Amino acid sequence: MTIWEMLAVLVAGICAGTINTIVGSGTLITFPVLLATGLPPVTATVSNALGLISGSISGAIGYRAELAGQRRRILRLSAAALVGGLTGAVLLLLLPSTAFETIVPVLVTLALLLVILQPRLSAAVQKRRAEKGTLIRQDGGPLLFTGLLLASVYGGYFTAAQGIIYLSLMGMLLDDTMQRLNAVKNILAAVVNSVAALFFLFVADFDWTAVLLIAVGSALGGQLGAKAGRRLSPALMRGIIVAVGGCALVQLILR
């Protein structure tokens, strides 16, 4: 990498760490930047996964106050994240690179649509739940576990909007504040990134310069995100994510 490319990756890591801590989808920033430096898509994905671990941990630490009293919930849902994340990582390496290059634009498109529609979907489910007077289990029951398991498979394969999916599912199926659910989301993202990256360490090729730059940047961004998460407008964050993700989608299609 040139010095300017290194700087761009570092800044992307800071932005991704910040956005992941607040809402998720930071990969929609780091992934296109890594592609722009000339990395192959699979190498960019595994390098990104390893680099973002520090950001997930940093964000979880920043939201540690909101984690109080959620130990049982976190342990149960982390089991789904661990199994799903490992499954997704295995699929990434078992499927041919051509399949990845075909699938990823579809995943990015779905992720962007979810980012746009998430507020309406959550509001609709909350309204329907209130009208029916549905009782809500503290752990979300089998439906949430299964949903998070599938979302974690997606996260282990390609992490974009993984956090948005987690927040959407938990917001629909758990009766708790979004700040507390966001704290759980950061833990689950850390589990998926960690198990996927540990698996990749033994079987995949990394760009260690990219890993280091994203790790440093995302760790800083995690702290910034924890401080800004209670202040920034969700609509503004979604707008930024959609704009960057749209650029990534165009680049992926044109490659």
Side-chain angles (χ1 to χ4, degrees):
M1 292 186 190
T2 67
I3 186 66
W4 295 111
E5 289 174 336
M6 293 173 65
L7 181 61
V9 173
L10 177 64
V11 172
I14 295 173
C15 294
T18 303
I19 291 175
N20 278 341
T21 301
I22 298 172
V23 292
S25 299
T27 290
L28 293 178
I29 292 179
T30 49
F31 186 67
V33 172
L34 292 176
L35 291 181
T37 66
L39 292 182
V42 173
T43 302
T45 297
V46 297
S47 300
N48 184 63
L50 184 56
L52 288 178
I53 292 175
S54 62
S56 299
I57 295 173
S58 178
I61 293 172
Y63 268 92
R64 60 189 177 277
E66 284 79 7
L67 292 171
Q70 299 198 76
R71 183 173 181 273
R72 181 177 177 181
R73 175 187 289 173
I74 290 169
L75 289 175
R76 173 180 169 80
L77 299 183
S78 292
L82 190 151
V83 174
L86 181 59
T87 302
V90 171
L91 288 175
L92 177 64
L93 297 184
L94 285 181
L95 296 176
S97 59
T98 52
F100 180 84
E101 293 170 2
T102 301
I103 293 170
V104 165
V106 177
L107 296 181
V108 172
T109 301
L110 292 175
L112 291 176
L113 288 175
L114 187 59
V115 171
I116 295 169
L117 297 175
Q118 187 267 335
R120 294 185 180 181
L121 291 174
S122 295
V125 172
Q126 295 285 358
K127 181 179 179 181
R128 184 177 180 183
R129 190 170 65 186
E131 290 174 348
K132 290 189 174 183
T134 307
L135 294 177
I136 304 169
R137 291 179 54 170
Q138 283 298 103
D139 61 3
L143 183 58
L144 180 60
F145 187 90
T146 303
L148 291 179
L149 176 65
L150 295 175
S152 298
V153 173
Y154 165 84
Y157 187 83
F158 187 65
T159 59
Q162 163 189 335
I164 295 290
I165 299 173
Y166 288 158
L167 283 176
S168 297
L169 290 171
M170 290 190 292
M172 294 173 189
L173 299 171
L174 293 175
D175 186 16
D176 214 331
T177 67
M178 286 306 295
Q179 293 295 343
R180 281 170 57 82
L181 296 181
N182 198 37
V184 176
K185 176 265 293 177
N186 289 330
I187 294 290
L188 298 181
V191 170
V192 171
N193 285 343
S194 297
V195 70
L198 287 174
F199 173 74
F200 292 146
L201 276 175
F202 296 98
V203 295
D205 294 324
F206 291 88
D207 184 298
W208 289 104
T209 301
V211 171
L212 179 60
L213 291 169
I214 292 176
V216 173
S218 64
L220 294 173
Q223 291 301 303
L224 292 174
K227 293 180 180 179
R230 301 170 183 85
R231 303 176 185 175
L232 281 181
S233 163
L236 175 60
M237 293 304 300
R238 280 193 294 272
I240 295 172
I241 292 168
V242 170
V244 174
C247 294
L249 183 59
V250 170
Q251 184 174 359
L252 285 167
I253 293 173
L254 294 178
R255 283 179 64 89

